[in-house]
Amino acid sequence: MSQPRGAVVILGGGPGGYEAALVAAQLGAQVTVVDSDGLGGACVLTDCVPSKTLIATSTTMSVLHGAEDLGIRAGGRPGWGRGSVDAPRLYARVKALAKAQSADVALRLAAAGVEIVTGRGALAGPGAVLAGGRRIEAGSVLVATGALPRVLPGAEPDGERILTWRQLYDLPELPAELIVVGSGVTGAEFAGAYQALGSQVTLVSSRERVLPHEDADAAMVLEDVFRRRGMTVLSRSRAAAVKRSGDGVLVTLEDGRAVRGSHCLLTVGMVPATQGLDLESAGVTLDGRGFVEVDRVSRTTAPGVYAAGDCTGVLMLASVAAMQGRIAMWHTLGEAVQPIRLDHVAATIFTDPEIATVGVTAAAVESGQVDAVAVKMPLATNARAKMQGFRDGFVKLFARRGTGIVLGGVIVAPRASELILGVSLAVEQSLTVDQMAHTFAVYPSLSGSVTEAARRLMRPAGDEL
Ligand SMILES: Cc1cc2nc3c(=O)[nH]c(=O)nc-3n(C[C@H](O)[C@H](O)[C@H](O)COP(=O)(O)OP(=O)(O)OC[C@H]3O[C@@H](n4cnc5c(N)ncnc54)[C@H](O)[C@@H]3O)c2cc1C
């Protein structure tokens, strides 16, 4: 049996914490995870996993709405047809799945020999943690305590009508008229999902368009789809206050307009869960907003203290949290380690259609920050897209001018989250558009548009944006 290579204590059992624990245990360290709210973290119990489970149902509803166009008669067979949503059953499924996923994480950690302490922990200097009424000494500490929904003053959630996304799954029914405040990734995902589930949705966006930080073409496709499906999108409209009003809610906008609905969902960002951890007295520097400052191997300013995930505010994704956590363990346990590369992170917005991205952005190319050529292939002409009955979407590819090395891409399509892997692989491995274009894609397939985009860029100058 290998000897313990050191003791590691991890604060927080989300992807930042538990993935790190698995790596550290694999390397022979003695590992303790302290978690207050359930293994898997907010990722598994309240945020990522529940929302994607809800979206699995809403996407199926969208498919059912389009069924007649594919030659399916509604209600032709028991259990088939358009259907409507059984909210208590849907929410019970969401919560059961999250719980089961959390139990799977607990089993994996137990099988790896990781000790679990249930309760809140705090640092007691750089090399120790106080948790569960004891002091746990450790060579290294990893802080992975996540983040919490930001609350707007004047729009405090009550868990009944004014809600954060963590309170949705306790509702007794679907909101009849849902006002979603905030049109970033979380707002767009829930607005699209509830519209498909049968709610009448109003999306309040303080910016010119939905998804202001994402690819502009992709955001425009989505906003167009939202409006066509009957959603009210209020652009350049900032919410000033949200109050209960009779059986519903009243959202007052900064310009004085009022929007009424049955429920309001607030998706206005996250704040770091870094209070009460005694981080600063242990020498850990926080930035102005309270996020833990880390370098690219997850080191904080205190020797032996690392941080990973949403509490660092680096890129609030489960995959990034997990990678930061693993890197921290490889680094502290003396393994060879590559600093994290955020420019290669693949991400998806799970709307319908999905928006998946990797590598450089159109904004970086358009501003001249990156010298690249680009091509955009609408999916409306893709044979598989026609067969499946959709036309909203595209494949966009960026390649370095001259060398043709693939630098990034954007895919807007159903299951774009799966399709992006080919582009992600090309970016990671510095493949050229020639190499992509010579790769077989199945006919007919949506991925055929990815290789076709690469083929278009084989022309010496490529298309300009
Ligand atoms: C609605 C929504 C949908 C999302 N969907 C996706 C997605 O599809 N894909 C994706 O990659 N990302 C998604 N994310 C982001 C993802 O959920 C986060 O990036 C991820 O949860 C970060 O993991 P973490 O380990 O940093 O923190 P968390 O998952 O928040 O886990 C932190 C854990 O630490 C515990 N904790 C806090 N303080 C203490 C303490 N003092 N002592 C002990 N334990 C403590 C918490 O209770 C929690 O269990 C989504 C986020 C939201 C809000």
Side-chain angles (χ1 to χ4, degrees):
M1 222 174 81
S2 60
Q3 292 302 307
R5 287 178 61 176
V8 175
V9 182
I10 298 172
L11 270 184
Y18 78 76
E19 289 286 349
L22 292 171
V23 162
Q26 184 189 37
L27 292 172
Q30 182 188 317
V31 189
T32 306
V33 171
V34 180
D35 187 83
S36 51
D37 295 295
L39 291 172
C43 174
V44 167
L45 289 164
T46 55
D47 294 358
C48 174
V49 170
S51 69
K52 262 73 277 181
T53 309
L54 180 97
I55 286 168
T57 298
S58 66
T59 309
T60 306
M61 282 298 283
S62 297
V63 171
L64 292 176
H65 286 310
E68 280 174 35
D69 291 343
L70 302 192
I72 298 169
R73 199 178 299 124
R77 222 170 122 175
W80 289 51
R82 274 180 172 225
S84 60
V85 173
D86 178 345
R89 197 161 160 189
L90 165 60
Y91 291 149
R93 175 173 190 264
V94 167
K95 288 194 272 193
L97 195 148
K99 225 169 134 188
Q101 187 68 14
S102 172
D104 281 351
V105 173
L107 279 178
R108 280 173 70 195
L109 290 178
V114 173
E115 184 197 9
I116 312 294
V117 175
T118 303
R120 288 190 67 75
L123 262 61
V129 161
L130 292 177
R134 53 191 257 238
R135 180 185 167 93
I136 311 164
E137 304 280 342
S140 323
V141 175
L142 176 72
V143 180
T145 48
L148 305 164
R150 185 163 82 93
V151 173
L152 291 177
E156 287 79 10
D158 63 6
E160 289 178 358
R161 298 275 167 181
I162 306 171
L163 308 153
T164 72
W165 59 86
R166 294 184 180 175
Q167 298 165 329
L168 285 170
Y169 312 109
D170 292 321
L171 291 180
E173 60 198 1
L174 278 187
E177 298 160 327
L178 180 66
I179 304 167
V180 178
V181 173
S183 65
V185 174
T186 302
E189 287 187 352
F190 279 114
Y194 273 95
Q195 183 74 29
L197 291 172
S199 303
Q200 178 56 52
V201 174
T202 302
L203 181 57
V204 177
S205 170
S206 60
R207 309 293 282 272
E208 187 71 43
R209 59 171 169 84
V210 301
L211 298 172
H213 306 297
E214 306 297 328
D215 184 89
D217 292 337
M220 279 191 296
V221 168
L222 191 70
E223 193 166 324
D224 183 43
V225 169
F226 277 176
R227 289 184 197 276
R228 275 194 344 247
R229 290 183 184 163
M231 191 186 298
T232 305
V233 181
L234 301 176
S235 313
R236 277 171 284 140
S237 302
R238 192 177 285 276
V242 183
K243 296 281 174 249
R244 290 283 288 257
S245 163
D247 269 354
V249 291
L250 178 71
V251 177
T252 311
L253 306 181
E254 272 185 356
D255 61 11
R257 280 176 297 158
V259 189
R260 288 180 190 278
S262 65
H263 296 77
C264 177
L265 171 65
L266 297 158
T267 61
V268 288
M270 307 278 282
V271 293
T274 50
Q275 289 191 340
L277 300 177
D278 288 334
L279 291 171
E280 281 167 307
S281 41
V284 175
T285 304
L286 305 180
D287 72 10
R289 293 179 303 156
F291 289 102
V292 181
E293 286 189 358
V294 284
D295 65 12
R296 288 178 56 212
V297 290
S298 312
R299 278 181 299 196
T300 70
T301 47
V305 181
Y306 293 75
D310 284 3
C311 69
T312 68
V314 165
L315 238 187
M316 290 195 174
L317 287 173
S319 51
V320 172
M323 188 57 82
Q324 284 181 294
R326 292 186 204 110
I327 286 174
M329 294 300 106
W330 286 321
H331 188 270
T332 193
L333 295 170
E335 294 291 305
V337 65
Q338 295 272 343
I340 196 159
R341 289 205 62 174
L342 296 171
D343 52 348
H344 285 190
V345 174
T348 294
I349 301 160
F350 289 84
T351 42
D352 175 29
E354 294 178 355
I355 300 173
T357 53
V358 67
V360 301
T361 61
V365 175
E366 280 163 9
S367 67
Q369 193 189 327
V370 176
D371 188 18
V373 288
V375 68
K376 188 172 121 188
M377 303 281 313
L379 285 181
T381 54
N382 178 295
R384 188 78 187 277
K386 287 180 191 161
M387 293 165 196
Q388 289 178 221
F390 72 88
R391 46 179 301 109
D392 297 301
F394 60 78
V395 170
K396 198 188 264 191
L397 212 55
F398 307 107
R400 174 134 354 251
R401 195 188 303 277
T403 62
I405 289 174
V406 179
L407 297 178
V410 181
I411 302 182
V412 181
R415 303 256 170 205
S417 49
E418 311 287 350
L419 289 170
I420 199 72
L421 181 68
V423 185
S424 200
L425 203 61
V427 170
E428 185 61 37
Q429 300 301 322
S430 302
L431 300 183
T432 63
V433 287
D434 289 43
Q435 287 170 312
M436 269 188 104
H438 282 93
T439 305
F440 272 103
V442 167
Y443 181 85
S445 70
L446 298 185
S447 49
S449 287
V450 178
T451 49
E452 193 180 340
R455 221 158 37 241
R456 295 279 177 102
L457 286 179
M458 283 170 73
R459 278 178 289 165
D463 292 348
E464 300 300 324
L465 267 177

